[in-house]
Amino acid sequence: MQDTFLEKQFKESEMLDAFSRSVVAADASTSTIDTEGLANLRKFVAEGNKRLDAVNAIASNASCMVSDAVAGMICENQGLIQAGGNCYPNRRMAACLRDAEIILRYVTYALLAGDSSVLDDRCLNGLKETYAALGVPTTSTVRAVQIMKAQAVAHINDTNEMYKGTGKYRQMGAIKGDCAAITAEAASYFDRVIAALS
Ligand SMILES: CCC1=C(C)/C(=C/C2=NC(=C\c3[nH]c(/C=C4\NC(=O)[C@H](C)[C@H]4CC)c(C)c3CCC(=O)O)/C(CCC(=O)O)=C2C)NC1=O
């Protein structure tokens, strides 16, 4: 039997969200969306504001997170900015900051969709090979991603603290609730980046 346009799109597209993922799963077993699938989607909707706050916590701090993570990575490994290092000269430094920003942006897309496929397909697919070809050190990239993961967890939960002697401090101020699940989910997308590069 010929697939409908929508079915064809779902099958060809690797880019899914929590809703289309449920449809594909049901389709694979030629069933309608089952009780468990529906319960999951109901939870996805009910917890939607939490998800949006979490996405906002990352997105609205993104440039600070990226520069801090890359600075921290370099601080721990200063060879990166010396001749022969992969953040040297400026052109490579700029490419590195851009890559950290790209990775963080795709993590927020995945968190918004509740599904990692956009991150997998549009960002991580082939990245390890690209880095190998260019001599971009993956251990250092992983370190920057680990720092961004810690920052994201802190911003989602508002557990970041003022750095001594500075006023550099920003809390999101969302109503405190149970953020364990959304925090774990956000962390899992950073782990996915790390796994793809390792
Ligand atoms: C849409 C998704 C997407 C991704 C993910 C992406 C990554 C990406 N990073 C690249 C380069 C690069 N990436 C880095 C990154 C780093 N160097 C370091 O020492 C650090 C460890 C690290 C930053 C954390 C650098 C320095 C280059 C340039 C390498 C070179 O040209 O020699 C390149 C080669 C082309 C270019 O320079 O633009 C690609 C394709 N491009 C994309 O379009």
Side-chain angles (χ1 to χ4, degrees):
M1 200 177 75
Q2 197 78 37
D3 284 340
T4 66
F5 176 71
L6 207 62
E7 281 168 341
K8 204 161 176 295
Q9 269 214 325
F10 275 139
K11 282 179 183 164
E12 282 176 2
S13 162
E14 295 290 311
M15 212 188 98
L16 301 169
D17 56 38
F19 291 93
S20 46
R21 172 79 63 196
S22 305
V23 174
V24 171
D27 184 42
S29 56
T30 58
S31 57
T32 51
I33 309 227
D34 60 13
T35 323
E36 194 196 334
L38 273 181
N40 286 339
L41 288 178
R42 193 169 288 127
K43 185 152 184 272
F44 186 84
V45 173
E47 307 256 292
N49 283 337
K50 227 177 247 186
R51 186 172 294 277
L52 292 178
D53 280 345
V55 169
N56 183 40
I58 301 177
S60 65
N61 291 299
S63 65
C64 183
M65 291 168 67
V66 165
S67 50
D68 178 76
V70 172
M73 173 197 78
I74 288 171
C75 196
E76 291 172 358
N77 181 3
Q78 307 205 356
L80 286 167
I81 50 169
Q82 285 152 20
N86 203 262
C87 288
Y88 177 92
N90 271 343
R91 179 187 69 78
R92 287 203 186 87
M93 180 76 257
C96 178
L97 284 162
R98 178 208 59 197
D99 282 13
E101 193 175 349
I102 291 173
I103 289 169
L104 190 58
R105 189 157 47 84
Y106 277 95
V107 165
T108 62
Y109 293 163
L111 188 59
L112 183 63
D115 192 280
S116 68
S117 57
V118 61
L119 171 68
D120 295 343
D121 301 339
R122 306 253 170 116
C123 180
L124 301 180
N125 181 14
L127 188 58
K128 189 179 180 181
E129 292 73 20
T130 303
Y131 278 178
L134 291 167
V136 174
T138 46
T139 46
S140 295
T141 309
V142 163
R143 180 62 186 134
V145 173
Q146 280 167 339
I147 296 172
M148 292 197 290
K149 176 183 168 185
Q151 296 162 336
V153 167
H155 280 301
I156 292 170
N157 290 282
D158 258 356
T159 53
N160 55 324
E161 292 169 12
M162 190 172 334
Y163 185 70
K164 283 190 196 71
T166 75
K168 296 194 187 311
Y169 177 62
R170 180 175 188 218
Q171 295 213 301
M172 304 310 296
I175 299 163
K176 294 264 194 289
D178 180 2
C179 292
I182 196 76
T183 302
E185 187 186 325
S188 79
Y189 298 131
F190 289 97
D191 290 340
R192 229 176 154 81
V193 177
I194 292 167
L197 294 175
S198 302

